[in-house]
Amino acid sequence: QVQLVESGGGLVQAGGSLRLSCAASRSIFSIIAMGWYRQAPGKQRELVASITRGGSTNYADSVKGRFTISRDNAKNTVYLQMNSLKPEDTAVYYCNARETYSGSYLDDWGRGTQVTVSS
């Protein structure tokens, strides 16, 4: 298992930018995939962006062209650059790591970081 700690959340005006960081307790080189999820009050947790070990990325339609996920293996850190933020982006953002465990998948989660976008 890997422990994950998110940081970088805060309050920003619509149209502004934030960069979230997810620091892992060990090397993420062998992690199958890492991603960012978000959850707003009263809504389901949704996938925002993911990146595989091989570097393939995937984004929710709502954030395509605005958000970028990246990985720095040397720093054991995954980032989410968020530009052109909208009030609809307001949510708690969680870092996720998917590992293999006894032949099955194991998902590790951070505690989350709050992002609030004012109109």
Side-chain angles (χ1 to χ4, degrees):
Q1 299 183 48
V2 60
Q3 285 71 56
L4 307 171
V5 179
E6 304 96 334
S7 63
L11 175 64
V12 65
Q13 296 183 62
S17 299
L18 284 174
R19 188 178 76 159
L20 305 184
S21 298
C22 173
S25 61
R26 63 170 177 82
S27 174
I28 60 173
F29 180 78
S30 297
I31 299 294
I32 296 174
M34 299 195 70
W36 288 94
Y37 289 71
R38 68 186 181 188
Q39 186 169 26
K43 295 185 178 180
Q44 297 283 86
R45 184 175 296 189
E46 64 175 348
L47 175 67
V48 177
S50 64
I51 184 167
T52 68
R53 180 182 179 182
S56 297
T57 58
N58 185 59
Y59 298 92
D61 288 341
S62 60
V63 307
K64 285 182 179 177
R66 300 189 297 122
F67 291 10
T68 303
I69 188 170
S70 61
R71 180 185 63 225
D72 188 334
N73 290 336
K75 296 182 178 180
N76 298 339
T77 301
V78 174
Y79 304 96
L80 183 67
Q81 179 66 47
M82 305 185 293
N83 298 325
S84 302
L85 283 162
K86 304 174 181 179
E88 305 92 272
D89 296 318
T90 296
V92 177
Y93 284 70
Y94 298 90
C95 183
N96 164 263
R98 174 159 284 187
E99 305 176 274
T100 56
Y101 185 78
S102 298
S104 300
Y105 292 126
L106 173 66
D107 285 315
D108 302 305
W109 297 91
R111 296 291 181 87
T113 185
Q114 177 71 49
V115 171
T116 302
V117 184
S118 62
S119 60

